Amino acid sequence: MKKILLPELGEGIDDVEIRDVLVNEGESIEKNQSILILETDKASMEIPSDYSGIISKIHVKSGDNISPTRVEAKLDIEPEIVP
């Protein structure tokens, strides 16, 4: 199981709002696919996945305010098994 944590977003950014979650539990995703849209005072940004796989659990929702290093800000991904 892979966990996606929010990256450091820059100096002085202590928390961000999740504007939108672009994936659903059970959904298959590709590496570099956008999975979240975050919003700060100055900008919105898309956060891509570092992995391909299936979303097993989403720990955040639209409207949540989170800090980039909080563990709750994650998506669990089960790697897809390709025969």
Coordinates of all heavy atoms in Angstrom, one line a residue:
M1 N 0.8 -1.2 0.0 CA 0.0 0.0 0.0 C 0.9 1.2 0.0 O 1.8 1.3 0.8 CB -0.9 0.0 1.3 CG -1.8 1.1 1.3 SD -2.9 1.2 2.7 CE -3.3 -0.5 3.0
K2 N 0.6 2.2 -0.9 CA 1.3 3.4 -1.0 C 0.5 4.5 -0.4 O -0.7 4.5 -0.5 CB 1.6 3.8 -2.4 CG 2.4 2.7 -3.2 CD 3.8 2.7 -2.8 CE 4.6 1.7 -3.6 NZ 5.9 1.6 -3.2
K3 N 1.1 5.5 0.3 CA 0.4 6.6 0.9 C 0.9 7.9 0.2 O 2.0 8.0 0.0 CB 0.6 6.7 2.4 CG 0.0 5.5 3.1 CD 0.3 5.6 4.6 CE -0.4 4.4 5.2 NZ -0.1 4.4 6.7
I4 N -0.1 8.7 -0.2 CA 0.2 10.0 -0.8 C 0.1 11.0 0.2 O -1.0 11.3 0.7 CB -0.7 10.2 -2.0 CG1 -0.5 9.2 -3.1 CG2 -0.4 11.6 -2.6 CD1 -1.4 9.3 -4.2
L5 N 1.2 11.7 0.5 CA 1.2 12.8 1.5 C 1.3 14.1 0.7 O 1.9 14.1 -0.4 CB 2.3 12.7 2.5 CG 2.3 11.4 3.3 CD1 3.5 11.4 4.2 CD2 1.0 11.4 4.2
L6 N 0.7 15.2 1.2 CA 0.9 16.4 0.5 C 2.4 16.9 0.6 O 3.0 16.7 1.6 CB 0.0 17.5 1.2 CG -1.5 17.3 1.0 CD1 -2.2 18.5 1.7 CD2 -1.9 17.3 -0.4
P7 N 2.9 17.4 -0.5 CA 4.2 17.9 -0.5 C 4.3 19.2 0.3 O 3.3 19.9 0.5 CB 4.5 18.1 -2.0 CG 3.2 18.5 -2.6 CD 2.2 17.6 -1.8
E8 N 5.5 19.6 0.6 CA 5.8 21.0 1.1 C 5.3 21.9 0.0 O 5.7 21.8 -1.1 CB 7.2 21.2 1.5 CG 7.6 20.4 2.7 CD 7.0 20.9 4.0 OE1 6.6 22.1 4.1 OE2 6.8 20.1 4.9
L9 N 4.6 23.0 0.4 CA 4.0 23.8 -0.7 C 4.7 25.2 -0.8 O 4.3 26.0 -1.5 CB 2.5 24.1 -0.4 CG 1.7 22.8 -0.4 CD1 0.3 23.0 0.0 CD2 1.7 22.2 -1.8
G10 N 5.8 25.4 0.0 CA 6.5 26.6 0.0 C 6.6 27.3 1.3 O 5.8 27.0 2.2
E11 N 7.6 28.1 1.4 CA 7.8 28.8 2.7 C 6.6 29.7 3.1 O 6.1 30.4 2.2 CB 9.1 29.6 2.6 CG 9.6 30.2 3.9 CD 10.9 30.8 3.8 OE1 11.8 30.3 3.0 OE2 11.1 31.8 4.4
G12 N 6.2 29.6 4.3 CA 5.1 30.5 4.8 C 3.7 29.9 4.6 O 2.7 30.5 5.0
I13 N 3.6 28.8 3.9 CA 2.3 28.1 3.7 C 2.1 27.1 4.7 O 2.7 26.0 4.7 CB 2.1 27.6 2.3 CG1 2.3 28.7 1.2 CG2 0.8 26.8 2.1 CD1 2.2 28.2 -0.2
D14 N 1.3 27.4 5.8 CA 1.1 26.5 6.9 C -0.1 25.6 6.7 O -0.1 24.5 7.3 CB 1.1 27.3 8.2 CG 2.4 28.0 8.5 OD1 3.4 27.4 8.2 OD2 2.3 29.1 9.0
D15 N -1.1 26.1 6.0 CA -2.2 25.2 5.8 C -2.9 25.6 4.5 O -2.7 26.7 4.0 CB -3.2 25.2 7.0 CG -4.1 26.4 7.1 OD1 -3.7 27.5 6.6 OD2 -5.2 26.3 7.7
V16 N -3.6 24.7 3.9 CA -4.3 24.9 2.6 C -5.7 24.3 2.7 O -6.0 23.4 3.6 CB -3.5 24.2 1.5 CG1 -2.2 24.9 1.2 CG2 -3.4 22.7 1.7
E17 N -6.6 24.8 1.9 CA -7.9 24.2 1.8 C -8.0 23.2 0.6 O -7.4 23.5 -0.4 CB -8.9 25.3 1.6 CG -10.4 24.7 1.5 CD -11.4 25.8 1.3 OE1 -11.1 27.0 1.5 OE2 -12.5 25.5 0.8
I18 N -8.6 22.1 0.9 CA -8.8 21.2 -0.2 C -10.1 21.7 -0.9 O -11.2 21.6 -0.4 CB -9.0 19.7 0.3 CG1 -7.7 19.3 0.9 CG2 -9.4 18.8 -0.9 CD1 -7.8 17.9 1.5
R19 N -9.9 22.2 -2.1 CA -11.0 22.7 -2.9 C -11.8 21.6 -3.5 O -13.0 21.6 -3.6 CB -10.5 23.7 -4.0 CG -11.7 24.4 -4.6 CD -11.3 25.4 -5.6 NE -11.2 24.7 -6.9 CZ -10.5 25.2 -7.9 NH1 -9.8 26.2 -7.8 NH2 -10.5 24.5 -9.0
D20 N -11.1 20.5 -4.0 CA -11.8 19.4 -4.6 C -10.9 18.1 -4.6 O -9.7 18.2 -4.7 CB -12.0 19.7 -6.1 CG -13.2 18.9 -6.7 OD1 -13.8 18.2 -6.0 OD2 -13.4 19.1 -7.9
V21 N -11.6 17.0 -4.4 CA -11.0 15.7 -4.4 C -11.4 15.1 -5.8 O -12.6 15.0 -6.1 CB -11.4 14.8 -3.3 CG1 -10.8 13.4 -3.4 CG2 -11.1 15.4 -1.9
L22 N -10.4 14.8 -6.6 CA -10.7 14.5 -8.0 C -10.8 13.0 -8.3 O -11.0 12.6 -9.4 CB -9.6 15.0 -8.9 CG -9.4 16.6 -8.9 CD1 -8.2 17.0 -9.7 CD2 -10.7 17.3 -9.3
V23 N -10.7 12.2 -7.2 CA -10.7 10.7 -7.4 C -11.7 10.2 -6.3 O -12.1 10.8 -5.4 CB -9.3 10.1 -7.2 CG1 -8.4 10.5 -8.3 CG2 -8.8 10.4 -5.8
N24 N -12.1 8.9 -6.6 CA -13.0 8.2 -5.7 C -12.4 6.9 -5.2 O -11.6 6.3 -5.9 CB -14.3 7.9 -6.4 CG -15.1 9.2 -6.8 OD1 -15.4 10.0 -6.0 ND2 -15.3 9.3 -8.1
E25 N -12.8 6.4 -4.0 CA -12.4 5.1 -3.5 C -12.8 4.1 -4.6 O -13.8 4.1 -5.1 CB -13.0 4.8 -2.2 CG -12.4 5.7 -1.1 CD -12.9 5.5 0.3 OE1 -13.7 4.5 0.5 OE2 -12.6 6.3 1.2
G26 N -11.8 3.2 -4.8 CA -12.1 2.1 -5.8 C -11.7 2.4 -7.2 O -11.6 1.6 -8.1
E27 N -11.3 3.7 -7.4 CA -11.0 4.2 -8.7 C -9.5 3.8 -9.1 O -8.6 3.9 -8.2 CB -11.2 5.7 -8.8 CG -10.9 6.3 -10.2 CD -11.2 7.8 -10.2 OE1 -12.0 8.3 -9.3 OE2 -10.6 8.5 -11.1
S28 N -9.3 3.5 -10.3 CA -7.9 3.2 -10.8 C -7.4 4.5 -11.3 O -8.0 5.3 -12.0 CB -8.0 2.2 -12.0 OG -6.7 2.0 -12.5
I29 N -6.1 4.8 -10.9 CA -5.5 6.1 -11.3 C -4.1 5.8 -11.9 O -3.5 4.7 -11.7 CB -5.3 7.1 -10.2 CG1 -4.4 6.5 -9.1 CG2 -6.7 7.5 -9.6 CD1 -4.0 7.6 -8.1
E30 N -3.6 6.7 -12.7 CA -2.3 6.6 -13.3 C -1.3 7.5 -12.6 O -1.7 8.6 -12.1 CB -2.4 7.0 -14.8 CG -3.3 6.1 -15.6 CD -2.8 4.7 -15.7 OE1 -1.5 4.5 -15.8 OE2 -3.6 3.8 -15.7
K31 N 0.0 7.2 -12.7 CA 1.0 8.1 -12.2 C 0.9 9.5 -12.8 O 0.6 9.5 -14.0 CB 2.4 7.5 -12.4 CG 3.5 8.3 -11.9 CD 4.8 7.7 -12.1 CE 5.9 8.5 -11.4 NZ 7.2 7.9 -11.5
N32 N 1.0 10.5 -12.1 CA 0.9 11.9 -12.5 C -0.5 12.4 -12.8 O -0.7 13.5 -13.2 CB 1.8 12.2 -13.7 CG 3.3 12.0 -13.4 OD1 3.8 12.3 -12.4 ND2 4.0 11.4 -14.4
Q33 N -1.5 11.6 -12.5 CA -2.9 12.0 -12.6 C -3.2 12.9 -11.5 O -2.8 12.7 -10.3 CB -3.8 10.8 -12.6 CG -5.3 11.1 -12.6 CD -6.2 9.9 -12.6 OE1 -5.7 8.8 -13.0 NE2 -7.4 10.1 -12.2
S34 N -3.9 14.0 -11.7 CA -4.2 14.9 -10.7 C -5.3 14.3 -9.7 O -6.2 13.7 -10.2 CB -4.8 16.2 -11.2 OG -3.8 16.9 -11.9
I35 N -5.0 14.4 -8.4 CA -5.9 13.8 -7.5 C -6.6 14.8 -6.5 O -7.7 14.5 -6.0 CB -5.2 12.7 -6.7 CG1 -4.0 13.3 -6.0 CG2 -4.9 11.5 -7.6 CD1 -3.2 12.3 -5.1
L36 N -6.0 15.9 -6.3 CA -6.6 16.9 -5.4 C -6.3 18.3 -6.1 O -5.4 18.5 -6.8 CB -5.8 17.0 -4.1 CG -5.9 15.7 -3.2 CD1 -4.9 15.9 -2.0 CD2 -7.3 15.5 -2.7
I37 N -7.2 19.2 -5.7 CA -7.0 20.6 -6.0 C -7.0 21.4 -4.7 O -7.9 21.2 -3.9 CB -8.1 21.2 -6.9 CG1 -8.1 20.5 -8.3 CG2 -7.9 22.7 -7.1 CD1 -9.2 21.0 -9.2
L38 N -5.9 22.1 -4.4 CA -5.7 22.8 -3.2 C -5.8 24.3 -3.5 O -5.5 24.7 -4.6 CB -4.3 22.5 -2.6 CG -3.9 21.0 -2.4 CD1 -2.5 20.9 -1.8 CD2 -4.9 20.4 -1.5
E39 N -6.2 25.0 -2.5 CA -6.3 26.5 -2.6 C -5.6 27.2 -1.4 O -5.9 26.8 -0.3 CB -7.8 26.9 -2.7 CG -8.0 28.2 -3.2 CD -9.4 28.4 -3.7 OE1 -9.7 27.9 -4.8 OE2 -10.1 29.1 -3.0
T40 N -4.8 28.2 -1.7 CA -4.2 29.0 -0.7 C -4.7 30.4 -0.9 O -5.6 30.6 -1.8 CB -2.7 29.0 -0.8 OG1 -2.3 29.7 -2.0 CG2 -2.1 27.6 -0.8
D41 N -4.2 31.4 -0.1 CA -4.7 32.8 -0.3 C -4.4 33.3 -1.7 O -5.0 34.1 -2.2 CB -3.9 33.7 0.7 CG -4.0 33.2 2.1 OD1 -4.8 32.2 2.4 OD2 -3.4 33.8 3.0
K42 N -3.3 32.7 -2.3 CA -2.8 33.3 -3.5 C -3.0 32.5 -4.7 O -3.0 33.0 -5.8 CB -1.3 33.5 -3.4 CG -0.9 34.5 -2.2 CD 0.6 34.6 -2.0 CE 0.9 35.5 -0.9 NZ 2.3 35.7 -0.6
A43 N -3.3 31.2 -4.6 CA -3.4 30.4 -5.8 C -4.1 29.1 -5.5 O -4.2 28.7 -4.4 CB -2.0 30.1 -6.4
S44 N -4.5 28.4 -6.6 CA -5.0 27.0 -6.5 C -4.0 26.2 -7.3 O -3.3 26.7 -8.2 CB -6.4 26.9 -7.0 OG -6.5 27.1 -8.4
M45 N -3.8 24.9 -6.9 CA -2.9 24.0 -7.5 C -3.4 22.6 -7.5 O -4.1 22.2 -6.6 CB -1.5 24.1 -6.9 CG -1.5 23.7 -5.4 SD -0.1 24.3 -4.5 CE -0.7 25.9 -4.0
E46 N -3.1 21.9 -8.6 CA -3.4 20.5 -8.7 C -2.3 19.7 -8.1 O -1.1 20.0 -8.4 CB -3.7 20.1 -10.1 CG -5.0 20.7 -10.6 CD -5.4 20.2 -12.0 OE1 -4.8 19.2 -12.5 OE2 -6.2 20.9 -12.6
I47 N -2.6 18.6 -7.3 CA -1.6 17.7 -6.8 C -1.7 16.4 -7.5 O -2.8 15.7 -7.5 CB -1.9 17.5 -5.3 CG1 -1.8 18.8 -4.5 CG2 -0.8 16.5 -4.7 CD1 -0.5 19.6 -4.6
P48 N -0.6 15.9 -8.2 CA -0.7 14.7 -8.9 C -0.2 13.5 -8.0 O 0.4 13.7 -7.0 CB 0.4 14.9 -10.0 CG 1.4 15.8 -9.3 CD 0.6 16.7 -8.4
S49 N -0.6 12.3 -8.4 CA -0.2 11.1 -7.7 C 1.2 10.7 -8.2 O 1.6 10.9 -9.3 CB -1.2 9.9 -8.1 OG -0.7 8.7 -7.6
D50 N 2.0 10.2 -7.3 CA 3.3 9.7 -7.6 C 3.2 8.2 -8.0 O 4.3 7.6 -8.4 CB 4.2 9.8 -6.4 CG 4.6 11.2 -6.0 OD1 4.6 12.1 -6.9 OD2 4.8 11.4 -4.8
Y51 N 2.1 7.6 -8.0 CA 1.9 6.2 -8.3 C 0.7 5.9 -9.1 O -0.2 6.7 -9.2 CB 1.7 5.4 -6.9 CG 2.7 5.7 -5.9 CD1 2.4 6.6 -4.8 CD2 4.0 5.2 -5.9 CE1 3.3 6.9 -3.8 CE2 4.9 5.5 -4.9 CZ 4.5 6.3 -3.9 OH 5.4 6.6 -2.9
S52 N 0.8 4.8 -9.8 CA -0.4 4.2 -10.5 C -1.0 3.2 -9.5 O -0.3 2.5 -8.8 CB 0.0 3.5 -11.8 OG 0.4 4.4 -12.7
G53 N -2.3 3.0 -9.6 CA -2.9 2.0 -8.7 C -4.4 2.3 -8.5 O -5.0 3.0 -9.3
I54 N -4.9 1.7 -7.4 CA -6.4 1.8 -7.1 C -6.5 2.5 -5.8 O -5.8 2.1 -4.8 CB -7.0 0.4 -7.1 CG1 -6.9 -0.3 -8.4 CG2 -8.5 0.5 -6.6 CD1 -7.3 -1.7 -8.4
I55 N -7.3 3.5 -5.7 CA -7.5 4.3 -4.5 C -8.3 3.4 -3.5 O -9.4 3.0 -3.8 CB -8.3 5.6 -4.8 CG1 -7.6 6.5 -5.8 CG2 -8.6 6.3 -3.4 CD1 -6.4 7.1 -5.3
S56 N -7.7 3.1 -2.4 CA -8.3 2.2 -1.4 C -9.0 3.0 -0.3 O -10.0 2.6 0.2 CB -7.4 1.2 -0.8 OG -6.3 1.9 -0.2
K57 N -8.5 4.2 0.0 CA -9.1 5.0 1.1 C -8.7 6.4 0.9 O -7.5 6.7 0.6 CB -8.6 4.5 2.4 CG -9.2 5.2 3.6 CD -10.6 4.8 3.8 CE -11.1 5.5 5.1 NZ -12.6 5.5 5.2
I58 N -9.7 7.3 1.0 CA -9.4 8.8 1.0 C -9.6 9.3 2.4 O -10.7 9.1 3.0 CB -10.4 9.4 0.0 CG1 -10.1 8.9 -1.4 CG2 -10.2 11.0 0.0 CD1 -11.1 9.3 -2.5
H59 N -8.7 10.0 2.9 CA -8.7 10.5 4.3 C -9.0 12.0 4.4 O -8.9 12.6 5.5 CB -7.4 10.2 5.0 CG -7.0 8.8 5.0 ND1 -7.4 8.0 6.1 CD2 -6.4 8.0 4.2 CE1 -7.0 6.8 5.9 NE2 -6.4 6.7 4.7
V60 N -9.4 12.6 3.3 CA -9.7 14.1 3.3 C -10.9 14.3 2.4 O -11.3 13.4 1.7 CB -8.5 14.9 2.7 CG1 -7.3 14.8 3.6 CG2 -8.1 14.5 1.3
K61 N -11.5 15.5 2.6 CA -12.7 15.8 1.7 C -12.6 17.3 1.4 O -11.9 18.1 2.0 CB -14.0 15.5 2.5 CG -14.2 16.3 3.7 CD -15.5 15.8 4.4 CE -15.8 16.6 5.7 NZ -14.7 16.8 6.6
S62 N -13.4 17.7 0.4 CA -13.5 19.1 0.0 C -13.8 19.9 1.1 O -14.7 19.6 1.9 CB -14.5 19.2 -1.1 OG -14.1 18.5 -2.3
G63 N -13.2 21.1 1.3 CA -13.4 22.0 2.3 C -12.5 21.8 3.6 O -12.5 22.7 4.4
D64 N -11.8 20.7 3.7 CA -10.9 20.5 4.8 C -9.7 21.4 4.7 O -9.2 21.7 3.6 CB -10.3 19.0 4.7 CG -11.3 18.0 5.2 OD1 -12.3 18.3 5.7 OD2 -10.9 16.8 5.1
N65 N -9.3 22.0 5.8 CA -8.1 22.8 5.9 C -7.0 21.9 6.5 O -7.3 21.3 7.6 CB -8.3 24.0 6.8 CG -9.0 25.1 6.0 OD1 -8.6 25.4 4.9 ND2 -10.0 25.6 6.6
I66 N -5.9 21.7 5.8 CA -4.9 20.8 6.3 C -3.5 21.4 6.1 O -3.3 22.3 5.4 CB -4.9 19.5 5.5 CG1 -4.8 19.7 4.0 CG2 -6.2 18.7 5.8 CD1 -4.7 18.5 3.2
S67 N -2.6 20.9 6.9 CA -1.2 21.4 6.8 C -0.5 20.4 5.9 O -0.8 19.2 5.9 CB -0.5 21.6 8.1 OG -0.4 20.3 8.8
P68 N 0.5 20.8 5.1 CA 1.1 19.9 4.2 C 1.8 18.7 4.8 O 1.9 17.7 4.1 CB 2.2 20.8 3.5 CG 1.6 22.2 3.6 CD 0.9 22.2 4.9
T69 N 2.1 18.7 6.0 CA 2.8 17.5 6.6 C 1.9 16.7 7.5 O 2.3 15.7 8.0 CB 4.0 18.0 7.5 OG1 3.5 18.9 8.5 CG2 5.0 18.7 6.6
R70 N 0.6 17.0 7.5 CA -0.3 16.2 8.4 C -0.6 14.8 7.7 O -0.8 14.7 6.6 CB -1.7 16.9 8.5 CG -1.7 17.9 9.6 CD -3.0 18.4 9.8 NE -4.1 17.4 10.1 CZ -5.3 17.7 10.4 NH1 -5.7 18.9 10.5 NH2 -6.2 16.7 10.6
V71 N -0.5 13.8 8.6 CA -0.7 12.4 8.1 C -2.1 12.2 7.6 O -2.3 11.4 6.7 CB -0.3 11.4 9.3 CG1 -0.6 10.0 8.9 CG2 1.1 11.6 9.7
E72 N -3.1 12.9 8.1 CA -4.5 12.6 7.7 C -4.7 13.0 6.2 O -5.6 12.6 5.6 CB -5.5 13.4 8.5 CG -5.6 12.9 10.0 CD -4.5 13.5 10.9 OE1 -3.7 14.4 10.4 OE2 -4.4 13.1 12.0
A73 N -3.8 13.8 5.7 CA -3.9 14.3 4.3 C -3.2 13.2 3.4 O -2.2 13.4 2.9 CB -3.2 15.6 4.1
K74 N -3.9 12.1 3.2 CA -3.4 11.1 2.4 C -4.4 10.3 1.6 O -5.6 10.3 2.0 CB -2.5 10.1 3.2 CG -3.3 9.3 4.2 CD -2.4 8.5 5.1 CE -3.3 7.8 6.2 NZ -2.5 7.1 7.2
L75 N -4.0 9.6 0.6 CA -4.8 8.6 -0.1 C -4.0 7.3 -0.1 O -2.8 7.3 -0.3 CB -5.0 9.1 -1.6 CG -5.6 10.4 -1.8 CD1 -5.5 10.8 -3.3 CD2 -7.0 10.5 -1.3
D76 N -4.6 6.2 0.2 CA -4.0 4.9 0.2 C -4.2 4.3 -1.2 O -5.3 4.3 -1.7 CB -4.6 4.0 1.2 CG -4.3 4.5 2.7 OD1 -3.4 5.2 2.9 OD2 -5.1 4.1 3.6
I77 N -3.1 3.9 -1.8 CA -3.2 3.3 -3.1 C -2.7 1.9 -3.1 O -1.6 1.6 -2.6 CB -2.3 4.1 -4.1 CG1 -3.0 5.5 -4.3 CG2 -2.3 3.4 -5.5 CD1 -2.2 6.4 -5.3
E78 N -3.5 1.0 -3.6 CA -3.1 -0.4 -3.8 C -2.6 -0.5 -5.2 O -3.3 -0.2 -6.2 CB -4.3 -1.4 -3.6 CG -4.9 -1.4 -2.2 CD -3.9 -2.0 -1.2 OE1 -3.0 -2.7 -1.5 OE2 -4.1 -1.7 0.0
P79 N -1.3 -1.0 -5.4 CA -0.8 -1.1 -6.8 C -1.7 -2.1 -7.6 O -2.1 -3.1 -7.0 CB 0.6 -1.7 -6.6 CG 0.9 -1.4 -5.2 CD -0.4 -1.4 -4.4
E80 N -1.9 -1.8 -8.8 CA -2.6 -2.7 -9.7 C -1.8 -3.9 -10.1 O -0.6 -3.7 -10.4 CB -3.1 -2.0 -10.9 CG -4.3 -1.1 -10.7 CD -4.8 -0.5 -12.0 OE1 -4.2 0.3 -12.6 OE2 -5.9 -1.0 -12.4
I81 N -2.3 -5.0 -10.1 CA -1.6 -6.2 -10.5 C -1.9 -6.5 -11.9 O -3.1 -6.7 -12.3 CB -2.0 -7.4 -9.6 CG1 -1.6 -7.1 -8.1 CG2 -1.3 -8.7 -10.1 CD1 -2.1 -8.1 -7.1
V82 N -0.9 -6.5 -12.7 CA -1.1 -6.7 -14.2 C -0.7 -8.1 -14.5 O 0.5 -8.4 -14.3 CB -0.4 -5.6 -15.0 CG1 -0.6 -5.9 -16.5 CG2 -0.8 -4.2 -14.6
P83 N -1.6 -8.9 -15.0 CA -1.2 -10.3 -15.4 C -0.1 -10.4 -16.5 O 0.0 -9.5 -17.3 CB -2.4 -11.0 -15.8 CG -3.5 -9.9 -16.0 CD -2.9 -8.7 -15.4

